[in-house]
Amino acid sequence: MSDSTPNPRAVVLAVVASTFFVGFGGGVIFPILPNLGEVLGISAVMVGVILSANRWTRLVANAPAGILVDRIGTRTPFIAGLAVEGVATFGYVVAILAPELPFVPDVPEFWFVLARVMWGIGSALVFATAYTITADVSETASRGTSMGIVRAGITFGFPAGMVLGGLVSELYSNATAFVMAAAFAGLASVIAYFIVPETHVESSDRSVSPLDLELTLPAVTVGLVNFGLYFAYVGVLFSTLVIYLEAESLTLSVELFGSAIDYEEQGTSGLLMAVSVLSGSVFTISGGAISDSVGARVPVLVCFLLTNCLGFVVLTMAPSFWYVVAACGLIGAGQGGVGGPLTALLADLTPEDRMGRAMATNNVLGDVGGGLGPLIAVPIAQSVGFDFLYALSVFIPLCGAVVLVAGIYTHTGSLSPTVDESVV
């Protein structure tokens, strides 16, 4: 790290602010696009393609983004990634106004897909650099806290965008919501440009190969844990929750000022997801801080993996709606609590000049888990049943804990190395 690097806390906060503001663009499209399908003549299949295009693009772009960081440093890719996401968000405006704009082909689905592909490229750069910058500027004793704070910033941006998209589109218009999200993305780039310094090593070799992955034991171990968590969280819980509530006739009814408000399956699942995300965000920060205070990452990670496991146990046996609420809270707590210590552990065990690749490998495996999960979980739930699916999911975090302990023991010779023993 350069001697001219500013206060590490200021850099971390700038990264958090940048990723939070740009994250609006990732979430703002979700409450708007499904309702635009019929208005703009976009089929349900195409809506699904648009919503998932960024994830599949990022799956391809993650590894090159990590390599690029190790080749040329963090500052330029980070700012460029934020800028690309800002342009992509403005692409939503072009898509929705395409019928009214001169010299712009009236094919909104094309513009939406193009914007989402650009978003995937930008987010790959931002994810690879955000964690690498944090690893570079943080001290070993506080790295877990710093990683948790940055992860929380990224996590909060997405649901904040969903709220922004829903409220502003209803009060004003869909185009206004997209313009506001693009403005926040532009602000993210400005913050990064003026505050975030170069923190990473630079190499004279600037070639980028998608095959140049970080396949060391620590990177693969951490990546496999991340794979399992995203498979269970996004793939199992989020993709099946609404149809589970419908099948079990579990919905929420609230009495407010003497009037009963009944939520259908979609509204109820949205509230449950919010419970899970909120729980995860709280424990994302506290999990990293706990690993710093304990002075070891593995015990904290195992504890939160078991919390995730307990959540699926409760979900499998849930006799009533409030048990489902508790299950979602536990699963979210486990998912979030793992985030900070897991990326901190990867940073502890990775040489600085390979940090970008290591973070990209972790992102790749997480995206694979999140992408494969819905393809497998939904058919199992519909053909075999939810009890079997959720019971099977109990073993995913358990397997993650076994992989973690075995991988770390093989690499370090200790079942629970201290933070100082883990640093390379």
Side-chain angles (χ1 to χ4, degrees):
M1 183 170 54
S2 172
D3 294 336
S4 62
T5 299
N7 188 315
R9 179 175 296 179
V11 175
V12 170
L13 291 178
V15 171
V16 170
S18 298
T19 54
F20 175 80
F21 286 132
V22 81
F24 281 173
V28 72
I29 195 173
F30 277 86
I32 298 176
L33 184 60
N35 290 330
L36 287 178
E38 295 183 6
V39 176
L40 297 178
I42 301 175
S43 68
V45 173
M46 182 54 66
V47 168
V49 170
I50 293 170
L51 291 177
S52 62
N54 68 313
R55 181 176 294 276
W56 295 112
T57 301
R58 193 170 66 210
L59 184 60
V60 176
N62 273 329
I67 300 164
L68 188 66
V69 169
D70 289 335
R71 297 292 194 210
I72 70 173
T74 54
R75 175 176 161 82
T76 299
F78 186 60
I79 296 173
L82 292 170
V84 169
E85 288 185 295
V87 173
T89 308
F90 188 76
Y92 302 154
V93 181
V94 175
I96 198 171
L97 297 179
E100 306 171 19
L101 295 176
F103 309 112
V104 175
D106 183 12
V107 281
E109 58 268 40
F110 168 78
W111 298 113
F112 272 122
V113 169
L114 179 62
R116 297 295 283 172
V117 169
M118 290 181 63
W119 181 270
I121 295 172
S123 64
L125 289 169
V126 169
F127 281 11
T129 50
Y131 292 123
T132 304
I133 291 170
T134 306
D136 289 342
V137 303
S138 59
E139 299 295 332
T140 304
S142 61
R143 181 171 286 159
T145 303
S146 298
M147 286 292 190
I149 292 172
V150 169
R151 192 178 180 97
I154 295 174
T155 301
F156 270 123
F158 184 81
M162 296 180 71
V163 173
L164 176 78
L167 292 178
V168 176
S169 62
E170 285 189 5
L171 293 175
Y172 299 97
S173 68
N174 296 317
T176 302
F178 290 146
V179 168
M180 185 174 294
F184 277 118
L187 176 61
S189 300
V190 172
I191 292 172
Y193 182 82
F194 284 104
I195 300 180
V196 177
E198 179 54 63
T199 65
H200 206 53
V201 294
E202 293 195 27
S203 170
S204 57
D205 180 6
R206 299 198 171 195
S207 61
V208 175
S209 168
L211 300 178
D212 187 5
L213 300 173
E214 184 71 359
L215 298 178
T216 58
L217 185 58
V220 173
T221 298
V222 169
L224 287 175
V225 174
N226 203 35
F227 168 88
L229 285 172
Y230 274 93
F231 185 97
Y233 192 58
V234 177
V236 175
L237 182 66
F238 277 18
S239 65
T240 65
L241 189 57
V242 65
I243 55 178
Y244 167 73
L245 294 174
E246 182 178 6
E248 299 294 324
S249 299
L250 296 173
T251 55
L252 179 63
S253 180
V254 178
E255 187 168 330
L256 188 63
F257 302 115
S259 300
I261 301 176
D262 297 320
Y263 290 89
E264 298 297 330
E265 290 81 9
Q266 290 185 1
T268 303
S269 67
L271 291 173
L272 290 172
M273 289 179 189
V275 168
S276 183
V277 170
L278 180 60
S279 174
S281 298
V282 170
F283 284 96
T284 292
I285 299 174
S286 59
I290 292 170
S291 75
D292 288 338
S293 62
V294 171
R297 316 286 187 204
V298 174
V300 178
L301 287 168
V302 170
C303 179
F304 279 110
L305 285 168
L306 293 178
T307 302
N308 191 284
C309 172
L310 178 61
F312 279 105
V313 171
V314 173
L315 187 60
T316 303
M317 305 173 63
S320 69
F321 174 78
W322 295 109
Y323 280 84
V324 180
V325 175
C328 289
L330 287 168
I331 294 171
Q335 174 81 12
V338 167
L342 192 65
T343 48
L345 178 64
L346 180 58
D348 292 342
L349 296 171
T350 303
E352 185 179 358
D353 62 343
R354 302 286 298 185
M355 196 74 71
R357 294 173 175 83
M359 293 298 173
T361 299
N362 188 44
N363 293 335
V364 165
L365 288 171
D367 281 339
V368 171
L372 283 180
L375 299 178
I376 297 174
V378 174
I380 290 178
Q382 293 178 336
S383 61
V384 182
F386 295 99
D387 289 343
F388 177 79
L389 174 65
Y390 295 150
L392 199 62
S393 300
V394 170
F395 295 96
I396 296 177
L398 284 179
C399 290
V402 171
V403 168
L404 174 70
V405 172
I408 298 304
Y409 177 77
T410 302
H411 184 73
T412 66
S414 173
L415 291 174
S416 179
T418 65
V419 170
D420 292 335
E421 291 173 341
S422 300
V423 175
V424 297

